[in-house]
Amino acid sequence: MQNRVVVELASVPQNVAVARLLAAMVAAQANFTVAEVDEIKLAVSEAVTNAVIHGYGSQPEHVVRLEVTLFDNRLEVLVEDQGRGIDDIALAMQPAVSSDPDRMGLGFCFMESHMDSLEVESTPGRGTRVRMTKKAGSEHLARATGS
Ligand SMILES: Nc1ncnc2c1ncn2[C@@H]1O[C@H](COP(=O)(O)OP(=O)(O)OP(=O)(O)O)[C@@H](O)[C@H]1O
Ligand SMILES: [Mg+2]
């Protein structure tokens, strides 16, 4: 392990930006490209937004736990809330599925496409844990090999 930052964020929308910048600053310590750091920022924003809006129903007095770890050239991000949880994770992760008719239902799709791995664990009434990883420089590799 090269670095780890763990923070507890109040469940207010302002902390989406705080989480995003924190993840970006840790990512900047590895060989991520600017484009990759932007993807990490977007994925973290989506996960923290979900915790605030869906997990806690936009109530500000709760805690979102963010853990960002850098292992050599791989970043791991955990976003955890102790909110309402998700009944059907597979369904919630499908594109255009949202419990809110005013939302696009694309957050999990963005997380999945911008990161190398995405795992969601959730217990209704207990909370949700999102784990995402991304390896630095994999975009270069994909381009070079045409894969
Ligand atoms: N932390 C969470 N706690 C409770 N429910 C969640 C959580 N994260 C996601 N969900 C559920 O999963 C659904 C899909 O999430 P996703 O981020 O893909 O879409 P969305 O948040 O509804 O819309 P968008 O992200 O496009 O604004 C949500 O509508 C919500 O019902
Ligand atoms: Mg969302």
Side-chain angles (χ1 to χ4, degrees):
M1 192 201 55
Q2 197 177 320
N3 193 5
R4 172 171 286 143
V5 176
V6 183
V7 289
E8 287 189 349
L9 304 157
S11 53
V12 296
Q14 290 88 338
N15 279 337
V16 172
V18 174
R20 178 169 61 214
L21 286 178
L22 210 143
M25 292 190 81
V26 176
Q29 295 162 9
N31 289 330
F32 287 100
T33 64
V34 172
E36 287 170 337
V37 173
D38 280 345
E39 292 181 326
I40 290 164
K41 286 165 81 174
L42 209 136
V44 171
S45 297
E46 293 296 334
V48 175
T49 299
N50 279 354
V52 170
I53 291 178
H54 301 299
Y56 294 126
S58 297
Q59 291 176 335
E61 66 272 26
H62 300 283
V63 170
V64 180
R65 183 178 181 277
L66 172 72
E67 180 173 330
V68 185
T69 308
L70 193 59
F71 304 91
D72 298 322
N73 260 341
R74 192 169 56 85
L75 191 81
E76 181 190 74
V77 179
L78 297 177
V79 177
E80 294 169 337
D81 68 68
Q82 294 180 301
R84 76 160 62 102
I86 303 172
D87 291 329
D88 186 337
I89 297 172
L91 177 68
M93 290 177 77
Q94 283 176 22
V97 171
S98 178
S99 50
D100 179 346
D102 293 333
R103 303 197 78 88
M104 305 275 283
L106 293 178
F108 280 132
C109 298
F110 286 140
M111 291 178 232
E112 200 153 38
S113 62
H114 291 321
M115 302 295 281
D116 293 336
S117 73
L118 168 67
E119 291 160 26
V120 183
E121 289 168 25
S122 188
T123 309
R126 283 284 184 86
T128 301
R129 180 176 184 270
V130 174
R131 179 178 175 274
M132 304 180 276
T133 66
K134 191 176 181 72
K135 202 169 178 292
S138 50
E139 279 180 2
H140 290 307
L141 203 64
R143 238 176 274 133
T145 60
S147 62

